Protein backbone atom coordinates (compact mmCIF):
# COMPACT_ATOMS: atom_id res chain seq x y z
CA UNK A 1 0.00 0.00 0.00
CA UNK A 2 1.26 3.50 -0.69
CA UNK A 3 2.61 4.77 2.62
CA UNK A 4 0.58 7.50 4.25
CA UNK A 5 2.21 10.71 5.32
CA UNK A 6 1.61 11.91 8.88
CA UNK A 7 -1.69 13.76 9.11
CA UNK A 8 -2.98 12.33 5.82
CA UNK A 9 -6.21 10.39 5.42
CA UNK A 10 -5.55 6.65 5.03
CA UNK A 11 -5.28 5.60 1.41
CA UNK A 12 -7.49 2.54 1.26
CA UNK A 13 -6.59 0.04 -1.45
CA UNK A 14 -9.14 -0.74 -4.14
CA UNK A 15 -9.77 -4.47 -3.82
CA UNK A 16 -8.51 -6.36 -6.88
CA UNK A 17 -6.77 -3.37 -8.48
CA UNK A 18 -3.00 -3.81 -8.52
CA UNK A 19 -1.87 -0.48 -9.96
CA UNK A 20 -3.51 2.91 -10.29
CA UNK A 21 -2.03 5.18 -12.94
CA UNK A 22 -3.15 8.81 -13.04
CA UNK A 23 -2.76 10.69 -16.33
CA UNK A 24 -2.56 14.42 -15.73
CA UNK A 25 -1.23 17.69 -17.07
CA UNK A 26 -1.11 21.28 -16.00
CA UNK A 27 -2.66 22.52 -19.21
CA UNK A 28 -5.91 21.58 -20.93
CA UNK A 29 -6.08 20.13 -24.42
CA UNK A 30 -2.58 18.64 -24.51
CA UNK A 31 -3.83 15.08 -25.06
CA UNK A 32 -4.43 13.55 -21.61
CA UNK A 33 -7.56 11.69 -22.64
CA UNK A 34 -5.95 10.58 -25.91
CA UNK A 35 -2.99 9.22 -23.94
CA UNK A 36 -5.19 7.63 -21.23
CA UNK A 37 -7.46 5.90 -23.78
CA UNK A 38 -4.62 4.59 -25.96
CA UNK A 39 -2.60 3.58 -22.90
CA UNK A 40 -5.48 1.56 -21.41
CA UNK A 41 -6.30 -0.10 -24.76
CA UNK A 42 -2.57 -0.63 -25.41
CA UNK A 43 -2.10 -2.33 -22.02
CA UNK A 44 -5.12 -4.57 -22.74
CA UNK A 45 -3.72 -5.50 -26.15
CA UNK A 46 -0.41 -6.42 -24.48
CA UNK A 47 -2.39 -8.93 -22.40
CA UNK A 48 -2.85 -7.00 -19.17
CA UNK A 49 -6.20 -6.61 -17.43
CA UNK A 50 -6.92 -2.91 -17.81
CA UNK A 51 -9.59 -0.43 -16.77
CA UNK A 52 -10.11 3.26 -17.52
CA UNK A 53 -11.77 5.63 -15.10
CA UNK A 54 -12.76 9.02 -16.49
CA UNK A 55 -12.23 11.47 -13.62
CA UNK A 56 -13.05 14.45 -15.83
CA UNK A 57 -16.53 14.79 -14.37
CA UNK A 58 -17.36 18.12 -16.03
CA UNK A 59 -15.92 17.32 -19.45
CA UNK A 60 -15.94 13.54 -19.88
CA UNK A 61 -14.49 12.58 -23.28
CA UNK A 62 -13.79 8.90 -22.67
CA UNK A 63 -17.18 7.68 -24.01
CA UNK A 64 -16.61 9.39 -27.39
CA UNK A 65 -12.98 8.35 -27.67
CA UNK A 66 -13.80 4.74 -26.76
CA UNK A 67 -16.87 4.65 -29.00
CA UNK A 68 -19.26 3.69 -26.18
CA UNK A 69 -22.63 5.19 -25.52
CA UNK A 70 -24.63 3.07 -23.11
CA UNK A 71 -25.74 3.16 -19.49
CA UNK A 72 -23.97 0.97 -16.94
CA UNK A 73 -26.14 -1.45 -14.92
CA UNK A 74 -26.19 -1.40 -11.15
CA UNK A 75 -26.68 -4.48 -8.97
CA UNK A 76 -27.50 -3.43 -5.44
CA UNK A 77 -25.18 -0.54 -4.77
CA UNK A 78 -22.47 -1.79 -7.15
CA UNK A 79 -22.12 -0.25 -10.61
CA UNK A 80 -21.00 -2.59 -13.39
CA UNK A 81 -18.36 -0.98 -15.61
CA UNK A 82 -18.83 -1.09 -19.37
CA UNK A 83 -16.37 -3.03 -21.50
CA UNK A 84 -14.83 -1.94 -24.78
CA UNK A 85 -11.73 -3.28 -26.55
CA UNK A 86 -11.14 -5.43 -23.45
CA UNK A 87 -10.99 -2.37 -21.16
CA UNK A 88 -13.38 -1.82 -18.25
CA UNK A 89 -14.80 1.69 -18.34
CA UNK A 90 -16.54 4.19 -16.12
CA UNK A 91 -17.34 7.80 -16.97
CA UNK A 92 -19.77 10.51 -15.93
CA UNK A 93 -20.60 10.68 -19.63
CA UNK A 94 -22.43 7.33 -19.29
CA UNK A 95 -24.60 8.71 -16.48
CA UNK A 96 -25.15 12.20 -17.88
CA UNK A 97 -25.12 11.78 -21.67
CA UNK A 98 -25.76 14.64 -24.07
CA UNK A 99 -24.65 18.25 -23.95
CA UNK A 100 -26.15 19.38 -20.63
CA UNK A 101 -23.36 20.38 -18.24
CA UNK A 102 -23.18 19.25 -14.63
CA UNK A 103 -23.30 22.17 -12.22
CA UNK A 104 -21.74 20.71 -9.08
CA UNK A 105 -19.61 21.94 -6.24
CA UNK A 106 -16.60 20.31 -4.59
CA UNK A 107 -18.32 17.91 -2.14
CA UNK A 108 -20.40 16.36 -4.96
CA UNK A 109 -17.26 15.93 -7.02
CA UNK A 110 -15.54 14.24 -4.11
CA UNK A 111 -18.39 11.78 -3.66
CA UNK A 112 -18.65 10.89 -7.35
CA UNK A 113 -14.91 10.22 -7.49
CA UNK A 114 -15.24 7.94 -4.46
CA UNK A 115 -18.18 6.17 -6.14
CA UNK A 116 -16.13 5.63 -9.27
CA UNK A 117 -13.20 4.27 -7.29
CA UNK A 118 -15.04 2.11 -4.81
CA UNK A 119 -18.65 1.70 -5.95
CA UNK A 120 -17.72 0.23 -9.34
CA UNK A 121 -17.09 -3.52 -9.75
CA UNK A 122 -13.68 -3.20 -11.32
CA UNK A 123 -12.88 -6.87 -10.62
CA UNK A 124 -9.26 -7.99 -10.97
CA UNK A 125 -7.17 -5.39 -12.78
CA UNK A 126 -3.46 -5.08 -13.41
CA UNK A 127 -3.89 -1.40 -14.25
CA UNK A 128 -6.62 1.12 -13.64
CA UNK A 129 -5.79 4.19 -15.73
CA UNK A 130 -7.37 7.41 -14.48
CA UNK A 131 -7.95 10.28 -16.91
CA UNK A 132 -7.70 13.49 -14.89
CA UNK A 133 -9.20 16.85 -15.79
CA UNK A 134 -6.69 19.62 -16.57
CA UNK A 135 -4.93 21.48 -13.80
CA UNK A 136 -4.28 20.94 -10.13
CA UNK A 137 -7.73 21.33 -8.56
CA UNK A 138 -10.39 19.55 -6.48
CA UNK A 139 -10.65 16.28 -8.39
CA UNK A 140 -6.92 15.73 -8.40
CA UNK A 141 -6.70 16.36 -4.65
CA UNK A 142 -9.73 14.22 -3.84
CA UNK A 143 -8.21 11.32 -5.72
CA UNK A 144 -4.69 11.72 -4.50
CA UNK A 145 -5.72 12.04 -0.87
CA UNK A 146 -7.85 8.92 -0.86
CA UNK A 147 -6.49 6.49 -3.45
CA UNK A 148 -3.15 4.71 -3.41
CA UNK A 149 -1.98 6.03 -6.79
CA UNK A 150 0.98 3.93 -7.92
CA UNK A 151 2.24 6.70 -10.14
CA UNK A 152 1.35 9.63 -12.36
CA UNK A 153 2.04 10.32 -16.02
CA UNK A 154 2.33 13.99 -16.95
CA UNK A 155 1.38 14.82 -20.52
CA UNK A 156 2.75 17.94 -22.19
CA UNK A 157 3.30 19.31 -25.65
CA UNK A 158 6.78 20.67 -26.44
CA UNK A 159 5.61 24.30 -26.26
CA UNK A 160 6.87 26.51 -23.43
CA UNK A 161 3.37 27.32 -22.14
CA UNK A 162 2.52 23.65 -21.83
CA UNK A 163 5.86 22.81 -20.21
CA UNK A 164 5.43 25.58 -17.66
CA UNK A 165 2.13 24.03 -16.58
CA UNK A 166 3.57 20.51 -16.69
CA UNK A 167 6.18 21.57 -14.16
CA UNK A 168 3.35 22.75 -11.86
CA UNK A 169 1.66 19.39 -12.18
CA UNK A 170 4.92 17.62 -11.32
CA UNK A 171 5.35 19.82 -8.25
CA UNK A 172 1.78 19.03 -7.20
CA UNK A 173 2.38 15.28 -7.43
CA UNK A 174 5.69 15.67 -5.57
CA UNK A 175 4.01 17.67 -2.82
CA UNK A 176 1.40 14.99 -2.22
CA UNK A 177 4.02 12.22 -2.53
CA UNK A 178 2.63 10.57 -5.65
CA UNK A 179 5.52 9.04 -7.63
CA UNK A 180 5.91 10.36 -11.17
CA UNK A 181 6.13 7.54 -13.71
CA UNK A 182 7.31 10.02 -16.28
CA UNK A 183 6.62 12.77 -18.78
CA UNK A 184 5.13 12.13 -22.22
CA UNK A 185 5.72 14.64 -24.99
CA UNK A 186 2.58 14.60 -27.11
CA UNK A 187 2.22 16.35 -30.49
CA UNK A 188 5.99 16.12 -30.58
CA UNK A 189 6.45 16.42 -34.34
CA UNK A 190 4.46 16.15 -37.56
CA UNK A 191 5.57 14.13 -40.55
CA UNK A 192 4.19 15.95 -43.59
CA UNK A 193 1.95 13.49 -45.48
CA UNK A 194 2.95 15.09 -48.80
CA UNK A 195 6.71 15.51 -48.63
CA UNK A 196 7.53 13.36 -45.54
CA UNK A 197 9.43 16.30 -44.06
CA UNK A 198 9.37 16.49 -40.30
CA UNK A 199 7.85 19.69 -38.87
CA UNK A 200 8.15 20.63 -35.19
CA UNK A 201 4.80 22.42 -34.93
CA UNK A 202 4.99 23.09 -31.18
CA UNK A 203 8.79 23.00 -30.97
CA UNK A 204 10.47 19.75 -29.93
CA UNK A 205 12.46 18.15 -27.12
CA UNK A 206 11.10 20.22 -24.21
CA UNK A 207 9.50 17.17 -22.60
CA UNK A 208 12.79 15.27 -22.45
CA UNK A 209 14.67 18.37 -21.24
CA UNK A 210 12.11 19.06 -18.52
CA UNK A 211 12.25 15.42 -17.41
CA UNK A 212 16.03 15.68 -17.07
CA UNK A 213 15.82 18.99 -15.20
CA UNK A 214 13.19 17.70 -12.80
CA UNK A 215 14.82 14.28 -12.47
CA UNK A 216 11.84 12.27 -13.61
CA UNK A 217 11.71 9.66 -16.39
CA UNK A 218 10.93 10.49 -19.98
CA UNK A 219 8.33 8.06 -21.33
CA UNK A 220 8.54 9.04 -24.98
CA UNK A 221 7.39 11.19 -27.87
CA UNK A 222 4.03 10.83 -29.58
CA UNK A 223 3.65 12.27 -33.08
CA UNK A 224 1.12 14.93 -34.03
CA UNK A 225 -0.87 12.81 -36.45
CA UNK A 226 -4.29 13.63 -37.90
CA UNK A 227 -5.12 9.91 -37.58
CA UNK A 228 -4.80 10.20 -33.79
CA UNK A 229 -7.51 12.84 -33.82
CA UNK A 230 -9.66 10.79 -36.21
CA UNK A 231 -9.27 7.76 -33.92
CA UNK A 232 -10.45 9.89 -30.98
CA UNK A 233 -13.41 11.40 -32.77
CA UNK A 234 -14.59 8.06 -34.18
CA UNK A 235 -14.05 6.00 -31.04
CA UNK A 236 -11.37 3.81 -32.63
CA UNK A 237 -8.15 4.37 -30.68
CA UNK A 238 -5.12 4.55 -32.96
CA UNK A 239 -3.19 2.08 -30.83
CA UNK A 240 -5.34 -0.65 -32.42
CA UNK A 241 -4.38 0.34 -35.96
CA UNK A 242 -1.78 -1.86 -37.53
CA UNK A 243 1.28 0.13 -38.56
CA UNK A 244 0.17 3.31 -36.79
CA UNK A 245 -0.24 2.32 -33.17
CA UNK A 246 3.41 1.56 -32.37
CA UNK A 247 4.29 4.83 -30.52
CA UNK A 248 1.32 4.29 -28.19
CA UNK A 249 2.11 0.57 -27.73
CA UNK A 250 5.66 1.55 -26.87
CA UNK A 251 4.26 3.99 -24.30
CA UNK A 252 2.17 1.17 -22.79
CA UNK A 253 5.25 -1.10 -22.54
CA UNK A 254 7.34 1.66 -21.04
CA UNK A 255 4.58 2.55 -18.56
CA UNK A 256 4.27 -1.07 -17.43
CA UNK A 257 8.04 -1.16 -16.73
CA UNK A 258 7.98 2.13 -14.85
CA UNK A 259 4.91 1.13 -12.85
CA UNK A 260 6.66 -2.04 -11.69
CA UNK A 261 9.63 0.08 -10.55
CA UNK A 262 7.37 2.60 -8.78
CA UNK A 263 5.41 -0.19 -7.07
CA UNK A 264 8.70 -1.60 -5.78
CA UNK A 265 9.58 1.78 -4.35
CA UNK A 266 6.22 2.34 -2.64
CA UNK A 267 4.91 -1.22 -2.22
CA UNK A 268 1.96 -2.70 -4.12
CA UNK A 269 -1.35 -0.86 -4.21
CA UNK A 270 -3.12 -3.93 -2.80
CA UNK A 271 -2.26 -6.26 0.00
CA UNK A 272 -1.20 -9.54 -1.56
CA UNK A 273 -2.15 -12.63 0.42
CA UNK A 274 -1.11 -16.11 -0.64
N1 LIG B 1 -0.89 13.27 -30.99
C1 LIG B 1 -1.99 13.82 -31.48
N2 LIG B 1 -2.14 14.04 -32.81
C2 LIG B 1 -3.27 14.61 -33.31
N3 LIG B 1 -4.30 15.01 -32.56
C3 LIG B 1 -4.19 14.82 -31.23
C4 LIG B 1 -3.05 14.22 -30.62
N4 LIG B 1 -3.25 14.17 -29.28
C5 LIG B 1 -4.46 14.71 -29.05
N5 LIG B 1 -5.03 15.09 -30.22
C6 LIG B 1 -6.33 15.74 -30.39
O1 LIG B 1 -6.30 16.97 -29.66
C7 LIG B 1 -7.56 17.20 -29.03
C8 LIG B 1 -7.36 17.34 -27.52
O2 LIG B 1 -6.92 16.08 -27.01
P1 LIG B 1 -7.48 15.51 -25.64
O3 LIG B 1 -8.96 15.68 -25.54
O4 LIG B 1 -6.92 14.13 -25.50
O5 LIG B 1 -6.76 16.50 -24.64
P2 LIG B 1 -6.98 16.67 -23.05
O6 LIG B 1 -5.67 17.08 -22.49
O7 LIG B 1 -7.61 15.45 -22.50
O8 LIG B 1 -8.02 17.87 -23.02
P3 LIG B 1 -8.83 18.39 -21.71
O9 LIG B 1 -7.84 19.17 -20.92
O10 LIG B 1 -9.91 19.23 -22.31
O11 LIG B 1 -9.34 17.17 -20.99
C9 LIG B 1 -8.45 16.03 -29.42
O12 LIG B 1 -9.21 16.39 -30.55
C10 LIG B 1 -7.46 14.93 -29.80
O13 LIG B 1 -7.99 14.01 -30.76
MG1 LIG C 1 -9.40 15.20 -21.38
Amino acid sequence: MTPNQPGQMPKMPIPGVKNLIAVGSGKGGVGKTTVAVNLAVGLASLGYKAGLMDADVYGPNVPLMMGVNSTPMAYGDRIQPLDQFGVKLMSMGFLNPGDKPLVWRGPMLHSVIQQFLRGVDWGELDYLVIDLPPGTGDVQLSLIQTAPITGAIVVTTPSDVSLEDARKAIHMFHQVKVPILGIVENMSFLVCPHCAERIDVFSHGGGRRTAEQMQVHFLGELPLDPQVRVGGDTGKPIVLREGQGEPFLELARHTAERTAEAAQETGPAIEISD
Side-chain angles (χ1 to χ4, degrees):
M1 193 192 309
T2 303
N4 296 308
Q5 301 307 309
Q8 276 191 333
M9 281 190 272
K11 295 186 180 182
M12 296 297 291
I14 298 166
V17 178
K18 287 190 187 142
N19 295 291
L20 269 90
I21 299 175
V23 179
S25 73
K27 194 155 216 65
V30 294
K32 285 175 298 304
T33 308
T34 304
V35 165
V37 160
N38 283 285
L39 174 62
V41 175
L43 286 166
S45 65
L46 292 175
Y48 296 108
K49 291 186 189 127
L52 175 58
M53 174 180 140
D54 185 352
D56 196 342
V57 175
Y58 292 126
N61 294 137
V62 165
L64 178 71
M65 289 200 195
M66 289 291 283
V68 192
N69 183 16
S70 38
T71 311
M73 309 283 283
Y75 297 114
D77 59 356
R78 308 285 295 163
I79 307 172
Q80 301 306 305
L82 299 178
D83 195 308
Q84 180 80 320
F85 310 123
V87 175
K88 293 198 175 159
L89 295 174
M90 188 61 210
S91 168
M92 198 62 213
F94 301 141
L95 307 177
N96 181 45
D99 295 332
K100 277 211 186 125
L102 283 181
V103 187
W104 280 358
R105 288 190 194 279
M108 287 291 284
L109 272 184
H110 181 78
S111 80
V112 83
I113 291 297
Q114 294 311 310
Q115 276 286 320
F116 280 9
L117 282 172
R118 299 177 197 286
V120 171
D121 256 335
W122 291 110
E124 300 284 318
L125 290 183
D126 296 309
Y127 300 98
L128 178 58
V129 178
I130 304 178
D131 178 27
L132 292 175
T136 52
D138 272 356
V139 170
Q140 289 82 345
L141 277 177
S142 179
L143 257 168
I144 289 162
Q145 285 171 344
T146 54
I149 311 269
T150 316
I153 293 178
V154 174
V155 182
T156 183
T157 72
S159 74
D160 286 343
V161 279
S162 176
L163 287 163
E164 185 177 353
D165 292 352
R167 285 193 288 273
K168 282 192 193 134
I170 290 171
H171 282 306
M172 176 193 74
F173 287 120
H174 277 331
Q175 266 177 21
V176 291
K177 313 277 190 241
V178 169
I180 308 278
L181 299 178
I183 295 182
V184 178
E185 182 172 292
N186 188 29
M187 310 190 191
S188 195
F189 56 89
L190 170 79
V191 177
C192 172
H194 306 295
C195 66
E197 194 191 329
R198 189 181 144 133
I199 307 164
D200 293 339
V201 180
F202 299 111
S203 179
H204 179 252
R208 186 184 289 277
R209 249 190 336 272
T210 303
E212 280 163 13
Q213 282 160 3
M214 300 194 76
Q215 298 185 331
V216 298
H217 283 76
F218 183 62
L219 290 172
E221 299 174 350
L222 300 170
L224 175 63
D225 177 351
Q227 292 309 318
V228 173
R229 199 272 310 150
V230 171
D233 282 354
T234 57
K236 298 187 179 106
I238 192 153
V239 71
L240 291 172
R241 281 221 210 165
E242 199 136 347
Q244 289 177 308
E246 192 50 40
F248 284 92
L249 267 184
E250 192 52 35
L251 172 68
R253 287 190 201 101
H254 210 153
T255 300
E257 284 165 20
R258 275 293 300 135
T259 308
E261 287 168 14
Q264 276 203 332
E265 286 157 25
T266 58
I270 53 169
E271 330 254 14
I272 312 233
S273 56
D274 49 10

